[in-house]
Amino acid sequence: MTRRTEWPDNPAEPSGGAGSDDGPVDASAAARGAAADDVGMRSGRRSRGGAGAGSGFGEGAGRRARSGTRSSGSPSSSRAEKGEPRDPVEQARNICLRLLTGTPRTRKQLADALRKREIPDEAAEEVLARFEDVGLIDDAAFAGAWVESRHHGRGLARRALVRELRTKGVDSAVIDEAVGQLDSDQEEETARELVARKLRSTRGLDRDKRLRRLAGMLARKGYGEGMALRVVRQALEEEGEDTAGLDEPF
């Protein structure tokens, strides 16, 4: 008689994420499940007793921890009693899945999070590499979506986008390719839209104050001085302002 093995639902799939506005797109549930199953089986083979995929998570982990020694009082024993996985690869996998739920992350962001949780470098590298293999970590896709979202949503220029992506640990070559989506014409058109929305709130101020306020807004969003001056001057001229002398840098 053939005996059929029933595999439980993946207990490592988190019900909620860290919650952040850092990422413009969400990782797919299917990809998360694939990564969880694959990395879970890899880490399961490393666990004592040959436990299966995801063996360090959920109720099973809690039962094993409660049946173990409670007298040591060590941090690792305390974690085990709470049902947390003991194997560092399983810990790293669990942390990454939680952080990726609801928002994408760069490899550096996840690596920093694992380092903060004192995950050994070898275990962290194994999980990060596997997550890259299955597409859960994709810095190029992250950068491209970031540029699209932040430019159209916040009106940020290339200079500001480069600065933001660098803080997230994206490689310079990847950043260059991502911001290359924006050409000068598109960037200037966005600058005009930003000025048009802000222009009404500056009415009643003297010309120079309007110039400083509008140009300063563009500068904070990463637009160069030359483009900002040109766009603001044209907007003021359309309202009948005398722009003589506004050719000089502000």
Side-chain angles (χ1 to χ4, degrees):
M1 177 176 66
T2 301
R3 181 179 181 181
R4 185 178 65 176
T5 301
E6 296 290 343
W7 291 99
D9 292 337
N10 178 18
E13 183 71 290
S15 60
S20 169
D21 62 355
D22 284 347
V25 292
D26 186 14
S28 69
R32 285 197 299 272
D37 290 344
D38 184 86
V39 181
M41 286 188 288
R42 289 163 60 89
S43 59
R45 287 195 294 269
R46 294 175 42 162
S47 302
R48 296 176 183 177
S55 60
F57 299 85
E59 282 186 28
R63 287 196 298 269
R64 288 194 299 275
R66 287 193 294 271
S67 65
T69 302
R70 296 172 180 262
S71 60
S72 66
S74 66
S76 60
S77 297
S78 176
R79 287 195 299 269
E81 290 173 3
K82 294 178 181 178
E84 294 187 16
R86 295 183 180 183
D87 184 76
V89 171
E90 293 185 16
Q91 292 179 29
R93 168 177 170 263
N94 201 23
I95 292 167
C96 288
L97 285 173
R98 284 201 304 267
L99 291 175
L100 287 168
T101 300
T103 183
R105 310 274 177 161
T106 65
R107 181 183 175 113
K108 182 180 184 300
Q109 287 177 307
L110 293 173
D112 289 345
L114 295 178
R115 191 175 300 111
K116 185 176 180 180
R117 293 288 298 272
E118 299 182 351
I119 300 297
D121 290 344
E122 182 179 353
E125 177 61 29
E126 178 177 337
V127 172
L128 293 173
R130 186 56 195 161
F131 273 37
E132 279 188 320
D133 287 345
V134 299
L136 278 179
I137 301 175
D138 187 339
D139 282 3
F142 177 97
W146 186 270
V147 168
E148 178 73 14
S149 174
R150 299 287 280 179
H151 177 73
H152 292 289
R154 296 287 301 278
L156 298 188
R158 284 174 290 186
R159 185 182 303 176
L161 293 166
V162 167
R163 185 167 56 245
E164 288 186 341
L165 288 171
R166 281 177 179 166
T167 65
K168 298 184 180 301
V170 179
D171 183 76
S172 296
V174 175
I175 293 175
D176 291 343
E177 183 175 353
V179 298
Q181 299 176 35
L182 303 176
D183 57 32
S184 298
D185 291 341
Q186 183 178 354
E187 200 171 47
E188 184 164 335
E189 179 61 29
T190 302
R192 293 184 192 282
E193 293 172 359
L194 291 170
V195 170
R197 291 200 296 266
K198 185 76 172 177
L199 197 61
R200 179 177 298 180
S201 67
T202 67
R203 289 171 185 163
L205 302 176
D206 65 65
R207 185 199 66 177
D208 291 344
K209 187 171 289 187
R210 297 185 80 188
L211 170 67
R212 289 194 298 271
R213 186 165 295 183
L214 293 169
M217 177 268 295
L218 290 179
R220 288 190 295 274
K221 291 182 178 292
Y223 293 88
E225 184 178 279
M227 179 184 291
L229 178 59
R230 181 173 64 255
V231 169
V232 172
R233 177 177 178 173
Q234 290 174 353
L236 293 177
E237 285 177 346
E238 291 172 1
E239 287 211 335
E241 287 275 13
D242 180 8
T243 60
L246 291 185
D247 291 326
E248 299 178 1
F250 54 88

